[in-house]
Each structure stands twice: as structure tokens, then as C-alpha cells.
Amino acid sequence: MKKKKIAGDIITYIVLVLISIVWLFPFAGLALQSFRSYDPKVEYGGMVDYLIPKHFSLDNYRFLFSGQTNFLRWYLNTIIIAVFVALFQTIIVLCVSYALSRMRFAGRTLLMRFWLVLGMFPGFLTMICLYFLLKQFGLTQAGAVPGLILVGVASSGMGYYVCKGYFDTLPKALDEAARIDGATRARVFFTITIPMSKPIIIYTALVAFMAPWCDYVFASYVAFGHDESFNVAVAMTRWVWTNDYQGYFTRFCAGGILVAIPVTVLFMCLQKYYVEGVTGGAVKG
Amino acid sequence: MEGIRKVLKTIGTTFATGDFRTRISYFILGFGQLLRGQILKGVVFLLSEVAFFVYMAGFGIRYFSKLSTLGTQVTQKVGRTTTYGDNSFLILLFGILSIFIILAFLVVWYLNVKDNHDSEELLRAGKKLPGNAETFASLFDKHFDKTLLALPVTGIFLFTVLPIAFMICVAFTNYDYNHQAPTNLFTWVGLENFRRLFSFGSSGMGSTFLQVLAWTIVWAFFATFLDYFLGMAVAILINKKGIKCKKLWRTLLVLTIAVPQFVSLLYVMKMFANDGLINGYLMKWGWISSPIPFWVNPMLARITIIVVNIWIGIPYMMLIATGLLMNIPEDLYESARIDGANGWQMFRKITLPYMLFVTGPFLLTQFINNLNNFNVIYLLTQGQPQSMRLAEKAGSTDLLVTWLYKMTVNNTNYRMAAVIGIMVFVVTAVIMLSVYNLLPSVKDEEGFQ
């Protein structure tokens, strides 16, 4: 019996190690190739059939920081968008969730059903119309950054499910006790509900913060042709889709590393809250 | 129906029995409230009426009146001077906006009547009306919901409801590359676009639509269930008693969630390319003589996408499963073990039913999300490889949403894009409604507790 268990454990470890290799391989590749020079005198910056660069070089990173492209600007744009979207989206989601979880008003279920139906339409359907609306306010091309913040925040009220689910589990007795003591709804919200919701606030903000880093579709449409207001996803995707002989691939790898590291570190630090959020959301549907 | 009758009755009786303040309020909103000393309410009602008429007279009516034709005056260019005619896009957009505003005004008007009615009843009963300060304070107490929801609802209206209503209307027009505003007009064409989507002739899109739809559903099925079961399997492996460094294994897997998808997916895409690392090494080792066409062969491309998606999806499922697996009472397994059940039997009889029960709604939403999983498809293949047999530049790995995106951005074929969008909605709604009621956790909420 004991032998069998040890054998089982060994097989498990082998499987886990294999899985880890598969999972880490692309990231290891990304990191290694970012150190391959694109300078034709040293090495080739396009696609090659080996993983480890022959010469270790920081050329790609130097290129990114040299000002030959707007890389720093793109990076800053993305951070600005991500921070503001995270901030406003969290506020809006908290407001909507509290109203729907704690208050009973005419049309409450109707509103929730209506939003559920709205959510069944694909988001890209509305792209040209949104573009036009943004254009009216001058929020495309040069103004794409505030425009993208606006679009990211405007409809975020519909994503209240996880947060409302969390509020539903907070004891109502606390609210009622405070209200008997004469506290208004607003006071209950600010002094009782919000201090108790740290995990869900962090989860909401984290998810909202991560999304703009991958936003290619809408960002490329809104910022079209205006290099200065690209975000990293839009700008660097061009480097991959461009013709290979230009050797932009390693520069993409270097940029990818610079984008991935801060986001990944942040995510890993707040992982606990993320897990809580997705598990709670999954069980409640 | 009952509700509408009640509303009409309130409007009628209030006018018949109300005093002169109430009656004048039917035409001048807020009049009654102002005379009764409720300045705040009165001013808000009055201002909304003023705003409504200013909007309609100065702006709305121009577009609203042309809504039935979407414009008749073509923009003309004589020599160097251009005379701008009607802009169908603006007419449609602001026409719809005007309809919404008219409806909103009717609601405000009714609220005004109802408020007058309520005030009169209060006064008749000898009670005092709430003062201005009280009304204002109620926005943070009794009516706090209105304060909280005002901004989100407005945002959703402007940036979701209005655009969706607009695009639904576009599906019934001929708005495409030949009818671009402001140079050209577009107009209503009835069901022509839908007929085109379902016609199987040489100019129809029927067969392409069916193929894309079929792949969308096949993809969503594999992407959901493969990830689900494999993710659960990995979670069970890591959860196993006696396995060390549980946290480390989990953290390694979670990397795919943490790293922005455009970085990881684009890199993986290049890895599988004809001149990519995988083909490179396989050729160097002499296992193959020519590159495996991962992204070029339609069937292979589909399989590769599903495999890469497993890489993306397992960690997510693993995280969820890990938490849930710990909730299964240990004594269930204990007693099963005493009865002589082996690992597989315990999984089938205890773990799986529990997981399916708890995660039923989650599986459904995952499936719906995968139907619309734009990022994975677009970053990996952009819907390629393209096929001559498919209409409207659809590719073999295009989902309905990526096809919609390409139609909008590359082909400016808005009319068909709108039709596809509506079809996505129909597919989603049908699946949601038919599956939701079959879910065990919906049918039997008490089970497993």
C-alpha cells in the first residue's frame, strides 16, 4: 500500500513538472529572445530556429528607451487608461451593486433583466456608433486616451454580478441596526458596507486594471493612425504583424517583457483577492 | 396591461378631481409643486420640460422628421463647391435618440402628475408636505438608489443602449461601402439583409454563415469543456495529499492569467508559425522535413487554437476548482473508501456530481463567453486561413464576432455586420434560455446542501 502511494506521488510530480515546463516555455522563450540583438552585425532580430541567443545583448531594450519610437508614450498611455478605468469602474460597480443588493425600488428586477439582455449583444456591434459619439466630443485620434477611459467606464455598471453577490452575503442585520440608530442609507454605505468590502474592491479594481493592457480592438479603432495615442497592445501588435525581414520580433519580445513584468507582479501580489473573486463569481453564476 | 390601465386611470382621475394647481401642472410641469412650496421638485420638473422643448425644437425635430426616409437630399459637388445634403447616419442616430427622449419625457410627465396627485392626498389627509431640505436629504436615504444609479444608468444608455438600438436599425438599411455618409445616403430596405444571410445562391451568404456558426459552436464547446475537465484534473493533482509546494505549482500556472494576453498569445502564435521555434526545432532534429502548417491548414489551425486555448484556460479553471474541491466534506470520501471505492469511482460518484452542480451556471456563462472569445482567435489567427469558398472574406477559424469585426473594420459592410450581431444575440439568447432551466442548481436549489 505504501509503495503504491509513493509510486503515485512520483507520477504526480512528473506530470506536474511536465505541465510546468509547457506552461513556462513560452515565457522563458519570450525572455530569452528579448536578449537577442536585432543589429544585423551581431544577430538577426526576426524569427530564428533556436531559443538561446548566441550573443547576449540589451539592444532591444536600448531601442525601446532610445526615443526612436513612442514606446514610453504608449506605456504611459496604457498606465493612465488602466488607472483611471480601474478607479472609476470600481466606484460605479460599488454604487450599482449596493443599490441592487440592499435597496428595493420599483423596476429593480426589470432593470436587472434588461441589462442581462443587453449583455447578450456582442460588444463590437456598437463600435462604429461609439466611434462616432466619441468623435463628436473630440475623443478620437489625438484624444483617444480620455476617449478610451470614457468607453471603459461608461458601461461598467452592467458588470455588477460578482460584487452584488458579495454584498448579498454581508449580514443585513448590521445595516438595520445602524438605520435604527438613525444613520442614513448613504452613511451605511460609506461607513459599514465599504469598509467590509476590501476583498471585492481589490478584485474589481484589479480586473478593471488588467483589461486595458490587452485592449487591441477598440483602441486600434479609436486611435487609428495617431501614433502618439496608441496603447502598448495596439503599437506592439504592429511589430508582430509586420513583415519578418525587418526583424522587429525581438523588439516585440523586449516590449512584451516590460509590459508583462509590472502587471504580473501586481497580479501575483493580489492573487488571493482574485481567486476569492472568481470563485465567488463562479459559484453564484 | 394591468399596469397601463392603472397609469391611465391615475392620469384621468387626477385631472378630474385635482385643484387648479394640479390641472395646470398637466401643461406646465412643476407648477403645482412650486405653488405648494416644493421649490426644488418644481424647478427640476420645469427645467426638464424646458430642456425637452428646446432640444426638440432646436435639434431633435430636424432628424426625427426624416427618420422614415433617412434623408432625400444627396450631397452634391458642382465644380469646387459642395452642397451638403442629408446625412443618413446622423438622421438615424439622432432620430433614435429623439424617440428615447420623447419616451423619457412622457415618463417625467407622468411622474409629475403622480407627484401632484400624491401631494394633494397628503394635504387632504391633513399632513404636511416634505420641505425642500427634506426632499434633498431623501436622495441620500430613502431615495439613495436613485443617486447611486443615475450616473451608471446614463452611461449605459448613451454607450450601450443607444448604439445597440442604432445598429439593430442598421440591419434593416443598406448602409455599406456604397452608401457611406455623408457623401451618399442610405435608406430602409426591410428584411433584404436577412434574406441575403439565409440565401444559399451564389451571391448569398447562407453557406458561409452556417460554416462560421458551426465552427463557433464547436469551438465554444471544446474551449469550455476541455478546459473545464482538464483544469479540474490539474486541481485534483495539486490538491492530492502528500504533494508538496502546492502554492508553487499553482503560481506557475497562474502566469497565463497574469501576463497580458496580447503578449503571450502573439508570442505563442509566432512559436507555431512556419518559421517559428517549434517547426525550427523539429526540422533541426530531423523529425520532419517541411514545416507543419499549424496556421495554414484550416483543420490544423482549428486544432492548434483549441490546444493553445487549453493553455490559457486551465489555470483559470484550476483556481476555481481548487477552492470548490476543498468544500467537499472529507467524510464522504472516507466512507466511500471504507466501502472499497477506488479513486476513479470516487471522482465519478462524488467529485464530478458536486462540481457540476455547483458550477453549472458558471459553465453556461463560460460557454457564452467563448462564443464571443475575440482575443484568442484574433490574436492567434485573425480568422485565417482565408478560403475562396467563403463569402465576405470569412476565414476558416473566424467566429461570428471576429467576422463581424472584420466586416466593420476592413469591409465597412455595416449592414451585414449588424445582421451578424443580431444573430449572435439570437444564438446567445437561445442557448441561455434553453440551458438555464435545465441546470440542476436552478431546478433544485436545496440539493447538495
Side-chain angles (χ1 to χ4, degrees), chain B residues 423-443:
Chain B
M423 294 327 284
V424 172
F425 169 76
V426 170
V427 171
T428 313
V430 165
I431 292 175
M432 275 269 220
L433 290 179
S434 53
V435 176
Y436 188 75
N437 290 321
L438 292 176
L439 290 175
S441 45
V442 174
K443 266 198 278 188

Side-chain angles (χ1 to χ4, degrees), chain A residues 136-169:
Chain A
Q136 293 296 296
F137 301 112
L139 295 177
T140 57
Q141 269 85 36
V145 173
L148 285 170
I149 295 174
L150 186 60
V151 170
V153 171
S155 295
S156 53
M158 280 160 70
Y160 63 84
Y161 295 96
V162 176
C163 189
K164 176 182 174 284
Y166 182 85
F167 282 174
D168 286 342
T169 63

Side-chain angles (χ1 to χ4, degrees), chain A residues 12-13 20 23-24 29 33 47 49 51 105 124-125 128 132 155 179 185-186 213 217 267 274 283, chain B residues 89-90 140-141 145 160 167 240 244 249 254-255 262 267 270 281 284 311 316 324 362 374 405 414:
Chain A
T12 310
Y13 277 121
S20 307
W23 251 258
L24 288 185
Q33 297 195 321
M47 304 287 289
D49 62 354
L51 186 61
F105 48 91
F124 308 124
L125 181 63
I128 47 162
F132 176 82
S155 295
R179 294 200 16 92
R185 285 275 186 197
W213 292 90
V217 183
F267 184 87
Y274 182 79
V283 176
Chain B
F89 187 102
L90 296 184
F140 297 94
D141 193 23
D145 53 328
T160 305
M167 285 312 283
K240 220 172 117 177
K244 299 213 170 64
W249 301 117
V254 168
L255 267 180
F262 93 94
Y267 186 81
K270 278 292 188 189
Y281 271 109
K284 230 186 334 193
W311 184 72
Y316 192 68
L324 295 179
F362 165 74
F374 184 91
Y405 174 77
Y414 304 121

Side-chain angles (χ1 to χ4, degrees), chain A residues 32 91 116 127 142 183:
Chain A
L32 284 171
I91 294 174
L116 184 73
M127 221 163 44

Side-chain angles (χ1 to χ4, degrees), chain B residues 3-23:
Chain B
I4 294 172
R5 197 178 305 147
K6 230 174 100 190
V7 166
L8 289 177
K9 206 179 152 208
T10 317
I11 294 172
T13 50
T14 309
F15 194 80
T17 61
D19 59 8
F20 79 100
R21 283 170 235 154
T22 305
R23 286 188 190 168

